[in-house]
Amino acid sequence: MIVQEGRLIPFVEYLERARPQRERPVIWHSRDIWAAANEHGGHARGSVALTRDSAADKTAIAPGLSLTAQIVEPGTHAPVHSHSFWHLYFVQRGEGHIAIDSERDLQSLHTGDWLFVPAWCVHAIDNRAGTVPLELIVLQNLPQNAALGNLARADQDKPIQLTYSAS
């Protein structure tokens, strides 16, 4: 690894550089979100992420947080997994299940439900019994974990895989 020379600046300049940039409001229209989610398919790990090009972190909807619109098509499910960030799910439309700790422990999900899944909690969204797409809005602290070099995932019966690590 190449080591670079550090730089010294006056503390008043440091404070000026650290000053937060003024944020601009952003709007995402529901019709555009779900049209894009449908266009990109019902991928098990999320369909589309809402982003802000004007933000310092272009993956975050707010500092350290990301928001995705996820569609789980009828007859499909995500594999059982866990990861270093938490999820806060909102069921926008449809019904389905979430497996917590194992594929046998299914909890029902209905339109309007909220569900918090802590970091490293084994889980999987399941719509195998569904007749309509399950539409989810998912808030998560994934950008925070990535920025800390701590983004990791473990699929069922597999070792932890670092997506982004500090090394």
Side-chain angles (χ1 to χ4, degrees):
M1 172 187 291
I2 297 173
V3 177
Q4 61 181 337
E5 286 290 320
R7 198 178 129 178
L8 302 171
I9 60 174
F11 193 71
V12 291
E13 184 180 337
Y14 166 81
L15 288 176
E16 192 56 39
R17 286 183 181 194
R19 183 182 305 278
Q21 298 296 313
R22 184 169 169 87
E23 297 277 347
R24 294 191 340 235
V26 179
I27 189 168
W28 297 267
H29 296 287
S30 179
R31 66 181 177 274
D32 298 332
I33 294 167
W34 296 109
N38 279 306
E39 178 184 331
H40 295 286
H43 188 274
R45 289 175 72 177
S47 297
V48 295
L50 285 69
T51 63
R52 300 178 308 135
D53 286 340
S54 63
D57 179 352
K58 304 214 180 320
T59 66
I61 193 164
L65 300 176
S66 62
L67 189 68
T68 63
Q70 181 178 357
I71 297 175
V72 184
E73 294 294 341
T76 66
H77 66 99
V80 174
H81 65 283
S82 63
H83 37 68
S84 59
F85 56 93
W86 51 258
H87 289 305
L88 180 59
Y89 287 99
F90 174 71
V91 181
Q92 173 75 20
R93 188 173 75 104
E95 295 184 355
H97 295 89
I98 185 160
I100 301 289
D101 291 330
S102 78
E103 288 192 78
R104 293 182 303 279
D105 184 12
L106 294 177
Q107 303 294 316
S108 295
L109 296 173
H110 303 276
T111 298
D113 286 352
W114 289 86
L115 170 70
F116 177 72
V117 177
W120 295 116
C121 178
V122 174
H123 64 286
I125 299 293
D126 190 320
N127 196 16
R128 286 180 280 198
T131 58
V132 298
L134 177 60
E135 295 180 356
L136 304 164
I137 306 236
V138 190
L139 182 69
Q140 52 207 4
N141 67 331
L142 190 153
Q144 178 186 44
N145 277 239
L148 294 171
N150 184 31
L151 189 57
R153 176 185 171 101
D155 289 305
Q156 187 175 31
D157 301 326
K158 293 184 181 171
I160 293 173
Q161 305 241 326
L162 291 175
T163 305
Y164 305 121
S165 70
S167 55

